[in-house]
Each structure stands twice: as C-alpha cells, then as structure tokens.
Amino acid sequence: MKRSSTILLVLTLALILVASSRTWAGNIAGVVQPQGLRSPENILVYVVKAAPVSVDISQTKYLMDQQQLTFIPHILPVLVGAKVEFPNNDKVAHNVFSLSQAKKFNLGSYKSGEIKTVVFDQPGVIDLRCDVHQEMNAYILVLKNPYFAVTDKEGRFTIPDQRSLEKQGIKGVPPLTAGKYLVKTWHEKLRTAKEKVEVPVNGEVTVILKPKRGAPGVLYK
Amino acid sequence: MLMSKKVSGLVRALIILLSAILPFLTQGHSAEKDGDRDGTPLAAGLVTSQYGPVTDARVRLAGQGHFTLTDKHGRFTVRGPRSYFNRPIVTAGKEGWFNNGAPLGMFGLVGDIELRPVFLADNPDYRFNSPKVCFSCHSKVTRIWDQSKMAHTTANPKLLDMYYGTDAEGNPERGEGYRLDNPSSNGNCATCHAPSAAAASRWSLDLKQVLNSPLTEWEGVACEYCHKVRKVVDDPSAPSGASAMLERQAPVRGRSILVFGPYDDVVVPPMAASYNPLFDSGRFCSTCHSHLKRLGPGKTWERLKIYSDEEWAAFGFDNNSILPIQTTYQEWKQWQNGLPAGDPNKDKKCQQCHMSWQKRLLPYDDFVVEGGAQHMWGTYRSPEQIRPHHFEGGTEAQLQNALALELEGDRGDNELLVKVHISNTNGGHWVPTGEPMRSVFLLVEARDSEDVPLQLIRGSRLPEWAGVGDIKNGDYSGLPGAVFAKVLADKAGNLNVPFWRASRIVFDTRIRPKKTVTLEFVFALTDPEDEPSAEATLIYRPVPKRLARAKKWQVEDIHIVTKAW
C-alpha cells in the first residue's frame, strides 16, 4: 500500500512537471541597439525555434503597397503559407518580381488600381524588386513561427507582437512556453545579432541586441 | 421667302440630328486597337491626305492613353468618357506623316484631319540646334539629359585618353591609344561619341576636329540628333552593323522644327512633329549599343570555344569573322526572341528601364513642356506616357538593382560547402554589358567562430588580372571567387586589350537576363563542432587596374552587395 502510494505520488509529480513545462509562460521583450545605422526602427527580431503552435492564417491580410516608386512597408514579416497582396497605388505601372531561392515569381507589368497576390510557402528572405524602377526594393521575410516582432522607433520589441499579429488577422497566439530560446535579428544593412534567452515560468525576459553594420545573413541556417 | 426659311431651318435641324448620331453610325467602321477603351463614342471623322484617305492612322484625343486606327476609308470613331467642360483636340499620326489634329466639335463632329507626308529630302547642310534651344520649352527634360552620360560622350576625358594614348594629366604615350597604334586613321569613334558631327562628315573624324567645331557638334548625343532619326537600317560598314537615317529639314520647309518622336498627338505650331514607332523600340538604341569588329576577309576566330552555334545565331551573326566587342542590343534581342508569348518579360524595351521614373524626379509630371509653352501648347498626359531622359546605366543604384546575391551553407564533418547564387535580376541584357573593360568580381570567404579564415579546398579563384597585391587596395588575385566579364585578348596572348588590338575573346562569363548562376566553394573545417560563417561580395570594376594605373584615372570599384551565411 505504502509502495503504491509512493508510485502514485511520483507519477503525479511527473505529470505536474510535464504539464508545467508546456505552460504558456511569457514574452521576450527588449531593445535593439544597432551600430552604424541612423534609426533602430524596422529591424526584425525573431525566435529561431519554438514549440509548434496552431495558427490560423486563412484570414490574414498582408499588404505590400506600391506608391511613389516605393514599396510600403520596406520589410514585411509573414508566416509560411501567407498570401500577400500587391496593390499598385502609383501613377505608373509596376512589375513586382523576385528571383530569391525561397520564392521566384514575376507578376508582370500592371497598372494603377490593380492588385495581384502571391503565396509564400517557403521560409527565407524574399528580395522584392520592380523590373522597371531601379530604386524599388523591399523584403518579405517568411518565418516559421509567429514569435517575431519589428522594432519601433526606439528599437523596442515584444515577442509575440500581439498587436501586429491581430492587425494582420492572427488571433490567439499564446505566449512562449518557459524554456531556452535563440533570438536573432535581421536587417538588410546589419549583421545578424543573436542572444540565448530563457523565458521564465511567469513573466517576461528582457534582452538587448547590438547588431553591427554589415552583411545580412540568412533567417535559418 | 418664308418657304426658303422653313427649308433652311429644316436642313439645319437635319444637320444637327445627323451630327448627333453620326459617331454612332460610323463606329462600326473603325479598327479599334490596343488600349482602346469601352465607352461612349465621342467623335467620328476622316483622316485624309492629298493622296486620299489615310488608313491605319492612330487617332486619339490628345494626351489620352488609348487610340483607335482608321479603317480602309480613313474613318475613325474615338471612344471615351465624355467631358462637357472642355473641347479637346482629336489628333492623328502615322509613321512617315506629320501629325495633325482638329478640335472636337459639338455632337462629336470633327473636321477632316489632313496629314502631310514627310518627304524624304535629308539636308546634310543642316546645323543642329543646341539643346539650349530645346531648353526654352522642355526645360526639365533637357536638364535631366544634361546630367546624363549621353550629354558628355564627346568631351569625355577617358574617351580622349583612350583615343590619343594620353593619361589623366594629358601626358602623351601613357597606356594604350587608338591614334598611337593607328596614326593614319581617325577611326570611327565619332559615329557614336559625336553623332551630330559624324552625321555631317560620315565617320572618319578626329575627335579634336570635333572638339574644335561649333559647340552643338560636340554636345554629345543631343536632342536634335536623336529626334531627327527617321529610320535605322542594316549597314555592315557601320561599327554597330546598323546606321541611323536622318531627316534634316531644308530651310524651304519653314521655321517649324522637324522632330520625330513617340507621340502621335503632338500637333503644336513650333514643332513639325511626326510619329515614329522606332522611338519606342530597342532597334533605336542598336546603332550605338553594339560594336562589331570585322576581322577582314578570310580571318576568323575560335568562336565555338566561347559561344554555341545557337547563341551565335541568336545574336544574328552568321560567320566567325565578326568579333563582337559590344553586344548590348544583341543580348537584349536574343533574350526577347527566346521568351515565349505571354511571358511577363516579353516586349520589355530598353526605354522602359533607362528612361523610367526615378524618385529624385518626383513629383510626377503631366506635361513635357514647361512655362509659357505649357499654357500655349502643352498637352496634359499621364506620367506613364512621359519618359525622363536620364539614360542611367552602370551607376551604383543601377548595379545594385541589376544583380542579387544569396548564400547557402552546408556543414559536413570536415568541410563547409558554400553555395553562392548570383542573379541578373533587372538587366535586360547580360551583366556587365557594354564596353568589355568592365567586370564584376565575386569574393567569397569563410571563417570559423573565432574569426579565423578557413582554407578553400575546392572552388574557383580570381585571376591575376584582378590585381596582385593588397586586398585593401582592391587587388583580389588568388582569392576564392569568380569573375563575370568578357575578356578580349590580342595575338600575343595579352588580356584585357582594347578592341582595336583584340583578335579573340578569351571568355565571356557574364550573366544572362533573369538567370541565376550558382557556384560552389568548399572550405576545410578544422573543428567539426564549430559554427563557421561565410560571406560573399559582388564588386563592379569599370576598368582593369592595370589600365587605370597607366592612365592615372581615379576610378573606384563599386560595391554592389555583400551577403552572409
């Protein structure tokens, strides 16, 4: 009797342990302090690997606009499988295309008022161009999980970025589970900065990333 | 009297009624063309000439994007949104005829539009107007042209150094010089570098002769020269294999300036304008963006080592006595001819990129004339119809746009495989193109986690002519990487020689339009557990180091892009 109750206690403890390890625990917050860049804004910060979460992207609305010979936004992080719309709101025709390994496409020339769409099904950096206008360049960053954020004017970020996710139509992304994570940055003019962080069972972990000016790396090695 | 008044009133009413329904009755006769829009028939009429009706004339409301073609009886119907607030001009234009127009009358009536033919009577004694004349009305487009390379083709110091064999300080016999090797020949440089002068004195002109002539003749490839081109014809005696046929008006024709151009709706008094589709085609650029050296009767080179039969035929060449020095036009044509119908890149033309809008030129223009001229004669048009004359090429911005780089890494037990993908993203020709002195270098390096360089065990290295010495000075010989260039050689085996000394092409590794070249580099890993990294860089070099040093030219390499893995 005594032996069986001990076994029961051990099993219960083990169950609690397993359950607690799967508890959605907290966020990663922090600041990016780039060296050699005027503004710390628009830097992608992302968690390389996280526990799989179920995210419904069927209602997402990703937009890469074209105005005054400019792609807006300049960087657009999306989840694998995302459909991105490319409206032409300029006065002249544009021809959006990419020769990137993660997604090759060519939308051809289309006029003001028209919209074309592309589905991004592989993770990676998509170098976006217009075939006619040399200065038009932007990046679509296709990510494996929703644990990413883009820095604000002060370089601050919180992962997951619930406000941006909800804006794009993604709801109910849970906080990260407690555990160790590798956090990286991506910006077209910065070397990758990375830090290992540990998300506690309750609360938030903060991190400071200091990428240096240089060649951008790949999202996933 | 009363009766005749009644009849006259009836006739008037009948005319008004007919006027109202005429556009609708005739609409079935017009051949509607590309860009024609659905809409209410706005105007109907006839395009005629001293020889009778003009068929296939392009008719539109001035400034509108869509047009219609006249039928075999010269009739047309223009459709579009009706505006009650202005009375637009209905214009007609056709290749070989001067444009003309007529105001759109009430009820859609337009008087007959009479076209006059452009008689073929070139006047070789014509003195070209200076761009300053054009500036008075087309100030913005002239300013943009003035900042372009087209405006400085004759008084270009590097051209003169290569021609006379001087250096940047004017010292004689420094490096190669065409006149040093060919003292009794003026060469044909003026054909493209001073076309206004060469047009009067076909080809053989010494460049100093040109520079000593009136200013307008050495203002580069200027407004009046291009807009006097009526036709481009095949011409084996021309350096490019094609010649521009000009139409320079005789004084007897009056004071209007004869201009050919892409607009069929310019019908203003100062310009005797004639629509010419050549201005919207790559063929226009072929007279200069192609340079073929003919080796002479019976002389050939080993072409098959460099270009396959298919590639050679696609260039439009049929024998091996042609040494292609510059083939920008042929590269574009070959690419376009190889694209299937419906390909998104089909029908892309030189003008779309090299005369496209740029951010520095914004806000968009809706007129191509400014000031008082705009109020008197300006035609409001979409920026889509306006081509800024910047002719940009070979600049940092354009190179960064033309090429892209991506890296992949694969770590094995003792080695690191780095795959480098180099894409010609935006060049509608091979990259680099034009003058074969130009080259693009790829530099690849790998490092361990302690930042110690890893040794290359498999993969290409840069050749000796990439510069022997310190990497900080741009000497890259022997480093892991590759070169993308067309390299000319002479009979003695010297590389990177100027075209007049060249007898063969040693290699041509330039990247084809929209193609990706993948190169592999394998580096030795000392610690299999280590986390190595790799970096690749693309650098554009406008002239080889050896030549730049000999000529004392201050030419800098252009950093295109660096990517890391």
Side-chain angles (χ1 to χ4, degrees), chain A residues 68-70 90-93 95 97 99-101 104 106 108 111 125 127 129-135 191 194 215-218 221, chain B residues 344-345 348 352-353 356-359 362 364 384 392 398 400-401 403-404 406-407 421 424-426 514 531-532 535 562-565:
Chain A
Q68 300 277 307
L69 305 178
T70 307
D90 211 341
K91 284 187 170 181
V92 294
N95 182 163
F97 78 99
L99 286 180
S100 297
Q101 297 296 308
K104 293 176 195 269
N106 189 339
K111 291 184 176 172
V125 179
D127 187 348
R129 314 235 173 160
C130 170
D131 198 44
V132 183
H133 302 103
Q134 59 175 21
E135 298 148 299
R191 289 171 184 273
K194 57 186 178 184
V218 293
K221 265 194 170 182
Chain B
N345 293 310
K348 288 267 162 66
Q352 280 172 289
C353 294
S356 64
W357 281 97
Q358 297 178 335
K359 283 181 192 168
L362 296 183
Y364 292 112
E384 192 68 52
E392 192 163 329
Q398 204 153 48
Q400 286 172 344
N401 186 245
L403 294 171
E406 273 187 282
L407 264 72
H421 308 284
N424 175 351
T425 47
N426 280 50
K514 303 289 176 189
E531 279 196 32
E535 231 176 62
T562 299
K563 288 284 175 73
W565 173 85

Side-chain angles (χ1 to χ4, degrees), chain A residues 8-168:
Chain A
L8 196 69
L9 187 71
V10 169
L11 275 172
T12 312
L13 278 171
L15 262 170
I16 289 167
L17 254 171
V18 169
S20 68
S21 72
R22 297 293 299 169
T23 302
W24 305 113
N27 298 333
I28 300 171
V31 64
V32 179
Q33 297 170 345
Q35 293 173 24
L37 207 64
R38 278 185 198 159
S39 162
E41 199 180 7
N42 281 326
I43 300 169
L44 175 78
V45 187
Y46 65 105
V47 171
V48 176
K49 201 172 176 184
V53 286
S54 168
V55 180
D56 178 15
I57 58 165
S58 61
Q59 301 302 312
T60 54
K61 192 167 173 64
Y62 291 113
L63 265 187
M64 179 58 82
D65 203 355
Q66 298 155 77
Q67 295 176 26
Q68 300 277 307
L69 305 178
T70 307
F71 285 119
I72 301 169
H74 185 61
I75 68 162
L76 176 64
V78 303
L79 279 168
V80 173
K83 188 162 84 177
V84 178
E85 290 188 350
F86 295 88
N88 181 354
N89 286 310
D90 211 341
K91 284 187 170 181
V92 294
H94 289 302
N95 182 163
V96 187
F97 78 99
S98 155
L99 286 180
S100 297
Q101 297 296 308
K103 186 73 184 181
K104 293 176 195 269
F105 67 92
N106 189 339
L107 298 180
S109 191
Y110 59 104
K111 291 184 176 172
S112 181
E114 290 182 39
I115 300 175
K116 300 214 174 184
T117 57
V118 178
V119 174
F120 293 89
D121 40 20
Q122 295 287 326
V125 179
I126 315 297
D127 187 348
L128 215 58
R129 314 235 173 160
C130 170
D131 198 44
V132 183
H133 302 103
Q134 59 175 21
E135 298 148 299
M136 288 181 70
N137 187 207
Y139 299 92
I140 292 181
L141 307 162
V142 188
L143 296 150
K144 290 179 178 174
N145 64 59
Y147 298 105
F148 60 82
V150 175
T151 53
D152 65 13
K153 283 179 183 170
E154 276 78 42
R156 290 176 307 211
F157 67 91
T158 302
I159 298 174
D161 185 353
Q162 299 290 3
R163 195 187 295 174
S164 298
L165 289 168
E166 281 174 23
K167 218 189 236 178
Q168 290 158 351

